[in-house]
Amino acid sequence: SRAADPRGSLSGNCLRQTIQLRGGGGVPTPRKELANSIKGCTDEEGLLKLLAENGESFDFGHVGTAWARLAKMRGAAAKSAAEGDVNQRLQVLTRKVVQVMGEWSETVQVSNILHSMSTLHESGRLPADDELMGMLLDRALATAGDFIPHDA
């Protein structure tokens, strides 16, 4: 079960959450704690602060989670000033991690990032980045045989 950390927020408006692990004392790994913090972000300002403080620690899974979180935050009419900065930082991190991908779950993350970026672009919240989309599409094509349908 999830329980909010009584110490409060890790960064900005990103709720610090821990996963209670069976027999593990409820202490998440730093990687899992960072993923939970990304999922707990409630606005672009909190996500931007988390990226500024922890962006160098982001792996491909964290980048995919951050894109998905941003895509779910608001509609086009409510675009915040911080969102452009979040987009820019995520684009830089995405380029970085695409070059060093190698995890088995990378196909899922490529799909998640493409979906999130498309959602943001469709709503007018993310300008087209043909180079980055091309990098992700090339990676998706190279690993197309590894994609597993959700219904499988």
Side-chain angles (χ1 to χ4, degrees):
S1 72
R2 289 180 181 229
D5 188 319
R7 294 173 289 181
S9 173
L10 175 66
S11 177
N13 294 318
C14 297
L15 304 175
R16 185 178 211 173
Q17 298 178 343
T18 60
I19 302 295
Q20 299 298 324
L21 304 172
R22 281 184 256 167
V27 180
T29 64
R31 183 182 188 284
K32 187 70 171 177
E33 185 174 348
L34 182 55
N36 289 336
S37 295
I38 296 165
K39 291 174 187 175
C41 287
T42 58
D43 60 30
E44 293 88 349
E45 290 80 10
L47 186 54
L48 181 60
K49 186 173 180 186
L50 188 69
L51 283 163
E53 293 174 357
N54 299 283
E56 290 300 314
S57 300
F58 275 41
D59 62 18
F60 203 65
H62 295 125
V63 170
T65 301
W67 276 115
R69 189 69 200 115
L70 180 62
K72 291 177 183 176
M73 283 186 181
R74 298 182 185 178
K79 183 176 178 179
S80 76
E83 187 172 73
D85 292 334
V86 172
N87 284 335
Q88 183 178 16
R89 284 183 185 262
L90 282 176
Q91 288 170 337
V92 169
L93 283 172
T94 302
R95 281 184 174 82
K96 177 182 166 186
V97 297
V98 164
Q99 295 171 0
V100 296
M101 283 191 315
E103 298 177 29
W104 67 269
S105 63
E106 67 188 47
T107 54
V108 172
Q109 294 305 332
V110 168
S111 176
N112 289 343
I113 291 171
L114 285 168
H115 180 265
S116 297
M117 288 179 71
S118 297
T119 298
L120 289 162
H121 178 70
E122 169 97 11
S123 67
R125 295 168 56 202
L126 178 69
D129 185 334
D130 294 338
E131 180 187 354
L132 182 55
M133 291 296 277
M135 289 173 68
L136 290 163
L137 288 171
D138 286 348
R139 189 63 189 157
L141 290 172
T143 60
D146 297 334
F147 281 85
I148 300 170
H150 282 285
D151 298 328

